[in-house]
Amino acid sequence: QVQLVESGGGLVQAGGSLRLSCAASGRTFSSLTMGWFRQAPGKEREFVAGINRSGGRTFYADSVKGRFTISRDNAKNTVYLQMNSLKPEDTAVYYCAANSVGKVYQYDYWGQGTQVTVSS
């Protein structure tokens, strides 16, 4: 089993920045593909960003390209999501996700989520 704990959410004005963190345990972190998803009220959960095991490849939803950056520190068992130029439409609960099979868009393990609210 993999346990994921997100932190770093909060309230920020449009144009501002936040950095989310997700600490993983229960499995060798470098064996996990990691991702971030989000779910806004009344909407389905959507893929935001993914990163492969080494951190050498990253993937983004079109809506966040150029504004968000996913990264990982395998020594700290942590994945990050740096969010810049935030917009009100980025408001959502953000979830950290992991899988051990190397797929960037399909995940088996999920965190509890952290709220991000962007005010206009």
Side-chain angles (χ1 to χ4, degrees):
Q1 274 287 15
V2 176
Q3 292 78 46
L4 304 171
V5 179
E6 302 100 334
S7 60
L11 173 63
V12 64
Q13 287 188 330
S17 299
L18 279 175
R19 188 175 82 155
L20 305 183
S21 300
C22 172
S25 61
R27 199 150 188 172
T28 302
F29 186 67
S30 58
S31 71
L32 300 173
T33 299
M34 301 297 297
W36 288 95
F37 287 70
R38 67 186 181 187
Q39 187 167 20
K43 295 186 177 182
E44 293 187 353
R45 187 163 54 188
E46 62 175 358
F47 173 81
V48 174
I51 188 166
N52 71 343
R53 294 161 175 165
S54 68
R57 295 188 69 192
T58 56
F59 306 83
Y60 297 95
D62 288 343
S63 58
V64 306
K65 278 181 183 176
R67 300 189 298 122
F68 290 11
T69 302
I70 187 171
S71 62
R72 65 190 296 161
D73 186 336
N74 285 352
K76 294 183 178 180
N77 295 348
T78 302
V79 63
Y80 305 97
L81 186 67
Q82 178 67 44
M83 305 185 294
N84 298 329
S85 302
L86 282 161
K87 305 174 182 180
E89 51 263 43
D90 294 318
T91 295
V93 177
Y94 282 71
Y95 296 92
C96 175
N99 78 69
S100 59
V101 294
K103 296 182 179 181
V104 177
Y105 299 102
Q106 293 178 276
Y107 293 85
D108 303 311
Y109 306 102
W110 298 87
Q112 81 288 352
T114 186
Q115 177 70 46
V116 171
T117 303
V118 184
S119 63
S120 58

